[in-house]
Amino acid sequence: MDVAVLAYDGVFDSGLAALLDVLTGANAMRDELPEPPPAWNVTTIGFRRRVRTGAGHLVETAPVGAAEDADLLLVPALAERRPDALIGYVSGPDSAPLRRLVATARERRTPIGSACSGTFLLAESGVLEGLRATTSWWLAPYFRTRYPAVTLDETRMVTTSDGVTTAGAAFAHVDLALAIVRTTSPALADLVARYLVVDERPSQASYTIAAALAQSDPMLAAFERWARIHLDQPISIADAARAVGVSERTLQRAMRRTLGTSPVRFVQDLRVERASHLLRTTDLPLETVARKVGYEHANTLRILLRERTGATAGALRR
């Protein structure tokens, strides 16, 4: 398989390196298998012979024309943490050549992959319209608002839809690269993961910070603050809406539009976040922790923790 990895000015260093390191490592470990898969021929491409990464390093690249013959195009993330600046870049003139490259690859039906903020470049290029995708959990509200035609599931670590593979937050570039290896050889992907000491991470849900998501909308931020104050009590969404000065229906709509969830589920996320912190940092019995986050019965919290984090209360405590 010929793989073209795009390097461009401002690219996230670790994202670029992770893709190259995992694929290079897979090539090096192929012979450890009884029936090794074909090798990956990886080429780093760019619009100039040298590009400067987000951390200021210079990377030598081959011409982007190599993408025309590639079996897979990979677009690492941009090294930009400010949502407004990220959207300004992916929609502006500086990224126009990148968008054209991605769109042209899609027209040729070349499979495409990206992770974290790189998924914004894919969406801005139009290649994700009507498809399922994921992105970094903390960028999800901005992605969902700008690209409503994309079905976003930010809880997933990696998702593939009609030949386009997207992955979650910054270091999900590793998960993206392993997913590529796994399509050819699950055994090799497992071997690489063991050498790199990378655990399987199918979901981003356990990493999500609910308060960070709410900050993208003043109304939701106010709701989040009110809910935290009343977290140890039964919470009425109608009372919460009145407290922040909107109707319950308005709150429901804003939550669904911006965060892709409901107020009830958001409160549950806050309770799971708080309970997980207490389990990790105190010796309080589970029954006491449950009451502190608004549940009368410890078993209710136990079930919710396993559902949202994939871990038991005992595992979180350890």
Side-chain angles (χ1 to χ4, degrees):
M1 178 183 289
D2 289 324
V3 181
V5 181
L6 179 64
Y8 55 95
D9 285 336
V11 69
F12 177 51
D13 293 64
S14 294
L16 174 62
L19 295 174
L20 297 174
D21 285 345
V22 170
L23 293 175
T24 301
N27 278 338
M29 297 175 200
R30 288 171 50 251
D31 292 337
E32 296 188 31
L33 299 179
E35 297 180 5
W40 287 267
N41 178 31
V42 183
T43 304
T44 303
I45 63 172
F47 292 94
R48 297 198 309 275
R49 189 170 65 86
R50 286 184 177 180
V51 300
R52 190 174 295 278
T53 69
H57 299 290
L58 292 176
V59 175
E60 300 278 347
T61 66
V64 292
E68 296 180 8
D69 299 319
D71 301 302
L72 173 66
L73 173 64
L74 296 178
V75 183
L78 176 72
E80 177 58 73
R81 286 191 51 83
R82 298 165 299 168
D84 290 346
L86 168 62
I87 291 171
Y89 175 81
V90 301
S91 62
D94 289 346
S95 69
L98 283 72
R99 299 197 302 270
R100 285 194 295 269
L101 178 69
V102 170
T104 301
R106 181 62 175 168
E107 289 171 2
R108 292 194 300 267
R109 303 300 296 177
T110 300
I112 302 170
S114 189
C116 192
S117 60
T119 58
F120 281 70
L121 272 169
L122 269 55
E124 198 71 31
S125 303
V127 305
L128 288 177
E129 190 161 344
L131 303 184
R132 290 179 294 104
T134 190
T135 190
S136 179
W137 64 263
W138 60 275
L139 289 171
Y142 307 95
F143 188 101
R144 187 175 280 108
T145 298
R146 186 166 181 83
Y147 310 113
V150 183
T151 301
L152 184 69
D153 181 1
E154 69 273 24
T155 68
R156 298 291 297 271
M157 194 65 76
V158 179
T159 186
T160 299
S161 182
D162 193 26
V164 182
T165 301
T166 51
F171 287 98
H173 286 84
V174 173
D175 303 84
L176 172 62
L178 287 172
I180 292 164
V181 176
R182 190 167 286 112
T183 60
T184 301
S185 174
L188 182 56
D190 291 342
L191 183 64
V192 174
R194 293 184 69 176
Y195 270 103
L196 296 179
V197 195
V198 178
D199 293 327
E200 185 178 5
R201 302 175 296 177
S203 174
Q204 296 186 85
S206 62
Y207 301 91
T208 301
I209 303 171
L213 296 176
Q215 298 313 305
S216 62
D217 183 301
M219 180 205 309
L220 300 184
F223 169 66
E224 181 259 336
R225 289 192 296 271
W226 184 92
R228 283 192 183 278
I229 293 171
H230 298 84
L231 208 57
D232 61 344
Q233 308 163 23
I235 288 181
S236 162
I237 301 304
D239 289 346
R242 281 192 293 272
V244 299
V246 298
S247 70
E248 183 175 356
R249 189 175 183 182
T250 298
L251 179 60
Q252 295 272 7
R253 285 179 171 176
M255 187 69 70
R256 180 63 61 184
R257 179 181 63 250
T258 306
L259 302 186
T261 190
S262 67
V264 169
R265 190 174 177 89
F266 183 78
V267 170
Q268 289 175 338
D269 289 340
L270 292 177
R271 285 174 163 154
V272 166
E273 178 188 299
R274 178 63 176 161
S276 299
H277 173 74
L278 290 173
L279 288 169
R280 290 187 176 108
T281 60
T282 74
D283 294 325
L284 293 173
L286 184 62
E287 292 75 11
T288 303
V289 172
R291 288 194 295 273
K292 283 183 173 291
V293 297
Y295 293 118
E296 183 178 352
H297 301 293
N299 198 47
T300 303
L301 176 60
R302 187 178 287 112
I303 293 170
L304 192 62
L305 285 169
R306 181 178 286 277
E307 175 191 314
R308 298 297 171 82
T309 70
T312 65
L316 289 169
R317 172 145 280 165
R318 286 193 297 272

